[in-house]
PDB file of all heavy atoms in Angstrom:
ATOM      1  N   ILE Z 405    -135.547  94.002 -33.160  1.00  0.00           N
ATOM      2  CA  ILE Z 405    -134.558  94.738 -33.921  1.00  0.00           C
ATOM      3  C   ILE Z 405    -133.420  93.731 -34.208  1.00  0.00           C
ATOM      4  O   ILE Z 405    -133.287  92.640 -33.577  1.00  0.00           O
ATOM      5  CB  ILE Z 405    -134.029  95.942 -33.017  1.00  0.00           C
ATOM      6  CG1 ILE Z 405    -133.308  95.361 -31.743  1.00  0.00           C
ATOM      7  CG2 ILE Z 405    -134.969  96.906 -32.708  1.00  0.00           C
ATOM      8  CD1 ILE Z 405    -132.579  96.444 -31.000  1.00  0.00           C
ATOM      9  N   CYS Z 406    -132.650  94.154 -35.197  1.00  0.00           N
ATOM     10  CA  CYS Z 406    -131.499  93.402 -35.516  1.00  0.00           C
ATOM     11  C   CYS Z 406    -130.246  93.840 -34.642  1.00  0.00           C
ATOM     12  O   CYS Z 406    -130.213  94.992 -34.279  1.00  0.00           O
ATOM     13  CB  CYS Z 406    -131.193  93.449 -37.036  1.00  0.00           C
ATOM     14  SG  CYS Z 406    -132.449  92.877 -38.005  1.00  0.00           S
ATOM     15  N   GLU Z 407    -129.425  92.930 -34.427  1.00  0.00           N
ATOM     16  CA  GLU Z 407    -128.182  93.281 -33.681  1.00  0.00           C
ATOM     17  C   GLU Z 407    -127.506  94.452 -34.274  1.00  0.00           C
ATOM     18  O   GLU Z 407    -127.255  94.508 -35.460  1.00  0.00           O
ATOM     19  CB  GLU Z 407    -127.239  92.051 -33.645  1.00  0.00           C
ATOM     20  CG  GLU Z 407    -126.046  92.311 -32.755  1.00  0.00           C
ATOM     21  CD  GLU Z 407    -125.062  91.106 -32.761  1.00  0.00           C
ATOM     22  OE1 GLU Z 407    -125.300  90.116 -33.666  1.00  0.00           O
ATOM     23  OE2 GLU Z 407    -124.222  91.009 -31.926  1.00  0.00           O
ATOM     24  N   PRO Z 441    -130.194  97.876 -27.228  1.00  0.00           N
ATOM     25  CA  PRO Z 441    -129.561  96.732 -26.493  1.00  0.00           C
ATOM     26  C   PRO Z 441    -128.807  95.798 -27.429  1.00  0.00           C
ATOM     27  O   PRO Z 441    -129.106  95.677 -28.600  1.00  0.00           O
ATOM     28  CB  PRO Z 441    -130.844  96.105 -25.862  1.00  0.00           C
ATOM     29  CG  PRO Z 441    -131.993  96.402 -26.835  1.00  0.00           C
ATOM     30  CD  PRO Z 441    -131.692  97.754 -27.432  1.00  0.00           C
ATOM     31  N   THR Z 442    -127.888  95.127 -26.880  1.00  0.00           N
ATOM     32  CA  THR Z 442    -127.104  94.164 -27.620  1.00  0.00           C
ATOM     33  C   THR Z 442    -127.683  92.819 -27.460  1.00  0.00           C
ATOM     34  O   THR Z 442    -127.313  91.878 -28.245  1.00  0.00           O
ATOM     35  CB  THR Z 442    -125.658  94.142 -27.139  1.00  0.00           C
ATOM     36  OG1 THR Z 442    -125.579  93.891 -25.672  1.00  0.00           O
ATOM     37  CG2 THR Z 442    -125.004  95.453 -27.382  1.00  0.00           C
ATOM     38  N   ILE Z 443    -128.497  92.518 -26.499  1.00  0.00           N
ATOM     39  CA  ILE Z 443    -129.195  91.300 -26.244  1.00  0.00           C
ATOM     40  C   ILE Z 443    -130.647  91.559 -26.001  1.00  0.00           C
ATOM     41  O   ILE Z 443    -131.005  92.711 -25.620  1.00  0.00           O
ATOM     42  CB  ILE Z 443    -128.584  90.447 -25.105  1.00  0.00           C
ATOM     43  CG1 ILE Z 443    -128.675  91.263 -23.776  1.00  0.00           C
ATOM     44  CG2 ILE Z 443    -127.155  90.085 -25.392  1.00  0.00           C
ATOM     45  CD1 ILE Z 443    -128.262  90.517 -22.556  1.00  0.00           C
ATOM     46  N   THR Z 444    -131.482  90.589 -26.097  1.00  0.00           N
ATOM     47  CA  THR Z 444    -132.902  90.705 -25.812  1.00  0.00           C
ATOM     48  C   THR Z 444    -133.089  91.228 -24.356  1.00  0.00           C
ATOM     49  O   THR Z 444    -132.465  90.630 -23.437  1.00  0.00           O
ATOM     50  CB  THR Z 444    -133.648  89.450 -26.038  1.00  0.00           C
ATOM     51  OG1 THR Z 444    -133.551  89.040 -27.451  1.00  0.00           O
ATOM     52  CG2 THR Z 444    -135.106  89.512 -25.627  1.00  0.00           C
ATOM     53  N   VAL Z 464    -137.701  94.107 -25.847  1.00  0.00           N
ATOM     54  CA  VAL Z 464    -136.978  94.393 -27.153  1.00  0.00           C
ATOM     55  C   VAL Z 464    -136.227  93.172 -27.456  1.00  0.00           C
ATOM     56  O   VAL Z 464    -135.216  92.714 -26.794  1.00  0.00           O
ATOM     57  CB  VAL Z 464    -135.997  95.591 -27.007  1.00  0.00           C
ATOM     58  CG1 VAL Z 464    -135.311  95.895 -28.261  1.00  0.00           C
ATOM     59  CG2 VAL Z 464    -136.773  96.873 -26.567  1.00  0.00           C
ATOM     60  N   ASN Z 465    -136.720  92.424 -28.603  1.00  0.00           N
ATOM     61  CA  ASN Z 465    -136.102  91.192 -29.002  1.00  0.00           C
ATOM     62  C   ASN Z 465    -134.913  91.574 -29.978  1.00  0.00           C
ATOM     63  O   ASN Z 465    -135.124  92.319 -30.914  1.00  0.00           O
ATOM     64  CB  ASN Z 465    -137.076  90.326 -29.752  1.00  0.00           C
ATOM     65  CG  ASN Z 465    -138.208  89.881 -28.878  1.00  0.00           C
ATOM     66  OD1 ASN Z 465    -137.931  89.206 -27.821  1.00  0.00           O
ATOM     67  ND2 ASN Z 465    -139.402  90.280 -29.208  1.00  0.00           N
ATOM     68  N   VAL Z 466    -133.700  91.162 -29.637  1.00  0.00           N
ATOM     69  CA  VAL Z 466    -132.582  91.494 -30.499  1.00  0.00           C
ATOM     70  C   VAL Z 466    -132.138  90.175 -31.137  1.00  0.00           C
ATOM     71  O   VAL Z 466    -131.744  89.236 -30.541  1.00  0.00           O
ATOM     72  CB  VAL Z 466    -131.368  91.999 -29.564  1.00  0.00           C
ATOM     73  CG1 VAL Z 466    -130.183  92.241 -30.464  1.00  0.00           C
ATOM     74  CG2 VAL Z 466    -131.821  93.264 -28.781  1.00  0.00           C
ATOM     75  N   TYR Z 467    -132.248  90.253 -32.535  1.00  0.00           N
ATOM     76  CA  TYR Z 467    -131.851  89.088 -33.328  1.00  0.00           C
ATOM     77  C   TYR Z 467    -130.345  89.161 -33.783  1.00  0.00           C
ATOM     78  O   TYR Z 467    -129.959  90.219 -34.383  1.00  0.00           O
ATOM     79  CB  TYR Z 467    -132.743  88.982 -34.571  1.00  0.00           C
ATOM     80  CG  TYR Z 467    -134.230  88.783 -34.193  1.00  0.00           C
ATOM     81  CD1 TYR Z 467    -135.107  89.688 -34.411  1.00  0.00           C
ATOM     82  CD2 TYR Z 467    -134.539  87.576 -33.514  1.00  0.00           C
ATOM     83  CE1 TYR Z 467    -136.516  89.490 -34.162  1.00  0.00           C
ATOM     84  CE2 TYR Z 467    -135.877  87.319 -33.180  1.00  0.00           C
ATOM     85  CZ  TYR Z 467    -136.807  88.260 -33.480  1.00  0.00           C
ATOM     86  OH  TYR Z 467    -138.149  88.017 -33.070  1.00  0.00           O
ATOM     87  N   LYS Z 468    -129.609  88.175 -33.469  1.00  0.00           N
ATOM     88  CA  LYS Z 468    -128.238  88.142 -33.748  1.00  0.00           C
ATOM     89  C   LYS Z 468    -128.034  88.172 -35.305  1.00  0.00           C
ATOM     90  O   LYS Z 468    -128.767  87.541 -36.010  1.00  0.00           O
ATOM     91  CB  LYS Z 468    -127.544  86.898 -33.205  1.00  0.00           C
ATOM     92  CG  LYS Z 468    -127.493  86.833 -31.691  1.00  0.00           C
ATOM     93  CD  LYS Z 468    -126.684  87.900 -31.138  1.00  0.00           C
ATOM     94  CE  LYS Z 468    -126.589  87.781 -29.635  1.00  0.00           C
ATOM     95  NZ  LYS Z 468    -125.754  88.789 -29.021  1.00  0.00           N
ATOM     96  N   ASP Z 495    -129.720  84.502 -35.615  1.00  0.00           N
ATOM     97  CA  ASP Z 495    -131.043  84.105 -35.172  1.00  0.00           C
ATOM     98  C   ASP Z 495    -131.956  84.035 -36.435  1.00  0.00           C
ATOM     99  O   ASP Z 495    -131.909  85.047 -37.244  1.00  0.00           O
ATOM    100  CB  ASP Z 495    -131.676  84.987 -34.166  1.00  0.00           C
ATOM    101  CG  ASP Z 495    -130.945  84.969 -32.885  1.00  0.00           C
ATOM    102  OD1 ASP Z 495    -130.419  83.867 -32.506  1.00  0.00           O
ATOM    103  OD2 ASP Z 495    -130.840  86.017 -32.095  1.00  0.00           O
TER     104      ASP Z 495
END
Side-chain angles (χ1 to χ4, degrees):
I405 64 172
C406 297
E407 184 179 14
T442 58
I443 60 174
T444 297
V464 179
N465 297 299
V466 179
Y467 296 114
K468 295 293 184 181
D495 293 330

